[in-house]
Amino acid sequence: MTTAPHRPRVWSIAAHRGFADALVAGLIPRYREDRFGLARLTLLLPSQRAVRTVTEAFVRASGDDGRGGLLLPRMVVVGDLDLDETLGPLLDPIGAGAGIAEAVDPTFRLLRLARFLADELGADAPGEAALLRQARGLAQGIDRLLVEDVSIEDMLDESVVGIAAELSTHWQDSTRLFAKVFAQWQLELIGLDRVDAPERRNRLLDHATQSWRQNPPVHPVIAAGVTSASPAVARLLRVVADLPDGGVILPDLDLALDDAVWDALGSAGGPDGGVFDRGDVVTHPQYHLKLLLNRMGIARGEVQPWHRAGLSPAPPDRSRAISNLFLPPEASAAWVSLEAKDRRLSGVRVMESTHPEEEAQAIAVLVREALDVPERRVAVITPDRSLAARIVANLGRWNIVADDTAGRPLPQTAAGRVLLQLAEVVAERAAPVPLLALLGHPLVQAGDGRAGWLERVRQLDLALRGPRPGPGLAAIRQAAEKAEKRYPGLTEWWSGVEDLLFPLLPLDGAVPFDMALVALVETGEALCGTALWAQADGRCLARFVECWREATGDAPSMVAAEELPALLRDAMDETSVRPPYGGHPRLAIYGLLEARMSRADLVICGGLTEGTWPGSPTPDALLAPPILRALGIPGADFRIGLAAHDLAAALGAPEVVLSHARRDATGPVIPSRFLLRIHAMLGDQLRHEKRAVLLAQALADAPEVPPHPRPLPMPSAEQRRVPIAVTALDRLRGDPYQFYASAILGLRRLDPIDADPTPAWKGTAVHDIMQKWHEAGGIPGELVPLAERMFDEMSAHPFMRAMWKPRLIDALHWIEAETDRLAGEGREVLAIEKQGEIVVDGIRIHGRADRIDRLADGTLAVVDYKTGTPPSNAMVAKGFALQLGLIGLIARDGGMSGVAGEPSCFEYWSLGRNKDRGFGYNQSPVKRGKMRSGMELEDFLPETDRFLREAIARWILGSDPFTARLNPDLPGYSDYDQVMRLDEWQGRESDGPENKSREGEEGA
């Protein structure tokens, strides 16, 4: 009598049953005993997140059966680098696994690969940050090969070399580079007696496979939810399936799929073909499961359905509809003849939003409503971390604390930002923007003295407004000293800040990366104290720093100071800070990996657009697709199939909402191909979620505000009586509101930080140079050397000085030559930067003359220096450029000490480009010589006086409103456009009679 052959024990849990809860519902009655039955069970799970999900499922089940608590089974992550320890005596009581070499540190490997790359690339090697970026891609490529049991020898096989020889030169070079670095790294590993992490995992899995094949464990072993199709995992799963008390439980394997469709997926590593053949449908959600079964040597017909269901199963017809939804292109023609029961997705709705913010708000509305139902669990699944962050923020409206279980990249956390901002301060040599961002960081000087600290940071912010000062902390000290009069004590406070930043001073040029890391950490601790490491992100940062410091000690690396931020950001992006427990107990926000095996009553899939879910296929940068196919490595399209399987699993929930936006930050987007399939299969039967979108729009819809009218301020008579500066009369007549804002309200424009040099700033610099030259006697040949010295002393960024200085020097040569020429004609400089004032109709008129000369005939010449284009003669004639005339009136009426005489010459000396020569020219608003335009000399001062008195009568002593943009076509300043809310009314109203004026009609 022969014994029937042992049949491998493999089950599949259908999508509608809910994997974790259905798994637990079947394991408890099968293995639970009065005392230790479950505790003797070993569960092999795919990830730590799966361990947590299954644990939660056991907790729910223990409360539902009324039998009290449970002793949980041992749960082990397949692929754990310490698998021999986690499985313990099940593998070998005397530790035979100790003979497997330890895994090399991944950071050390990255640094060594970067060095190999630099040696191979030679003079073409990029900077350290870009080099590490390339090394990171190369390391990922090596891992992909090792996971599939592909070695460097396989790359040198004749068939692979032959394929490489037929590729373009670019691919040949990149493949050759990859192979060289791979080979060098393997040689180094031999010398280190270390292996790569995937290689160690493969050896551990093979060790477990051999141990259990020779000595099956006496207690049951179940592999659940493991879908990785790597050869080592497949070999282990086959042994587990063959164990007397073992088994493999797969998620969402479609047992009802027609055999013809199953065959149409391709060979998938089967006996009749290779892996990832050209005709394989790798984007199908069942392809990777077919590949796994083929590598296990198990036919789909040998897999049994798991008949237990979870706590909240969906209708059974849901699995049939999911199967039909993902049919391959040729088989999808059957949609037209499907019966209603085979396409029914009764609990599935599609939600379309306008943009990501509206999508996040609508999802938050759905979550808020669902959580009102007792014991109702909600899961939001999205690969878009930005969308997840928006959802978390919108849920805060209702005080719902939600944690994104995919975590936040370390650079986006508070502690991570401290390290990056310190690196930016180093890279940009204490430029104002990164420096102020660092000093104002929430963790810096947190505690009782923070309010005073922030007040000093605000004062430093104001002191640094305008063009960027020179590089280094010394230039910041100069700015603080200059502002000491306005902010007493600022210099002393800055001295203390310099002490805190002292460890950063040696970081200049190329420095050892470990030294730079130590300096950044020391400075961060000096600024933040223990608060830097106190929270979860700080502890994660501490591990990151320690890891990189140890690795760079073993593999020294030099990095340019300006590359520090990019290098650190790339490295920190690979580290996620996952939230501790403490969010809402019935709400979870998952990424695609974290969502596997999870279950909820309502599942919301967000971000279903092409490029997000599924993600854009990113080809390998070094290995061409034909090379990968020849080596049996999954290509970029393989990930689309995994994304499809993730969606298929999510569709198994009782209630599902599939959400997408019509556009993102860059423009319109295409809905996910999976959504388009749902639209095509269901047609009019598809249900749409519109209510949540309407509620989200209502929440964001502010009440309508009527358009703001043109401002017409009417201050009191007492408020109007203010002095008029010679530079302000043009504003008063051209745009009265600007005069009102500056002279009556006292508002001043706040320059941006790191601003481009403004005309006013350039004018101040030129006036200072000219004043010092004339005070020194105006000696010919001394102006340009003086300007050179003052530029060297000026607190301005070298780039700004290099861009503007040559133009100024050329113009100063002209000024010096012109002054010398006029001196030969008997003209002498009488006053420089001279203050003066007069009283007209009881109003003080004051200002400063750039320069006044005495002509040979005893009359005066008034000179105004301009760094750009002077006002046109038409502007002067219409009364919108009166500075020269007002200075002339003050000089004529004795308003300047030491200056007396009748002005007879009015000139603009511009430092702008001259059409006949380089830079510098002379222009007058008064007719002289053969000039055809300009005012007559005898009319210039009387007209200026008339314009002045008229303005005083109307706005200073009169009752005219200070109308905004009284002359809209007049070019002028825009300092107060935001204050007058210009964009809210300009062009949206017709000028009424109250907004007209004689000047407005004149200037039109």
Side-chain angles (χ1 to χ4, degrees), residues 890-914:
I890 295 174
R892 184 194 67 181
D893 296 344
M896 293 182 183
S897 61
V899 176
E902 181 70 23
S904 64
C905 180
F906 301 89
E907 296 174 338
Y908 295 111
W909 284 28
S910 173
L911 279 65
R913 182 179 293 276
N914 187 342

Side-chain angles (χ1 to χ4, degrees), residues 342-502:
D342 293 328
R343 68 167 83 216
R344 185 177 295 123
L345 290 173
S346 55
V348 178
R349 308 191 301 276
V350 172
M351 183 171 72
E352 182 179 79
S353 310
T354 306
H355 50 78
E357 180 57 34
E358 184 178 279
E359 180 183 11
Q361 183 64 272
I363 291 175
V365 168
L366 290 173
V367 172
R368 169 71 176 81
E369 291 181 338
L371 292 179
D372 270 349
V373 180
E375 299 185 6
R376 187 169 173 81
R377 291 178 292 147
V378 183
V380 178
I381 305 173
T382 176
D384 186 348
R385 303 317 341 128
S386 173
L387 178 63
R390 291 174 186 265
I391 295 170
V392 170
N394 280 300
L395 286 171
R397 178 194 298 266
W398 300 290
N399 295 323
I400 297 175
V401 179
D403 293 326
D404 183 0
T405 56
R408 295 174 61 199
L410 184 56
Q412 296 180 16
T413 64
R417 283 301 306 162
V418 170
L419 197 69
L420 279 181
Q421 285 172 346
L422 283 165
E424 288 166 3
V425 168
V426 172
E428 299 191 36
R429 303 186 67 184
V433 171
L435 177 65
L436 292 170
L438 171 67
L439 297 180
H441 190 283
L443 293 182
V444 173
Q445 298 297 310
D448 296 337
R450 180 162 173 79
W453 173 271
L454 289 180
E455 178 62 21
R456 289 298 187 187
V457 173
R458 185 190 68 84
Q459 293 172 358
L460 183 64
D461 178 300
L462 295 173
L464 293 175
R465 293 277 165 167
R468 178 187 291 196
L473 300 179
I476 306 297
R477 169 170 286 278
Q478 289 181 16
E481 291 172 347
K482 191 178 295 185
E484 179 69 23
K485 192 172 183 179
R486 281 185 296 160
Y487 310 116
L490 182 61
T491 305
E492 182 182 355
W493 173 81
W494 174 250
S495 297
V497 175
E498 284 183 322
D499 293 339
L500 296 175
L501 299 177
F502 177 77

Side-chain angles (χ1 to χ4, degrees), residues 876-877 879 882 935 938-948:
V876 177
L882 300 172
M935 298 179 66
E938 59 270 17
D939 295 334
F940 188 67
L941 290 184
E943 278 296 289
T944 300
D945 185 70
R946 180 178 71 83
F947 285 132
L948 172 61

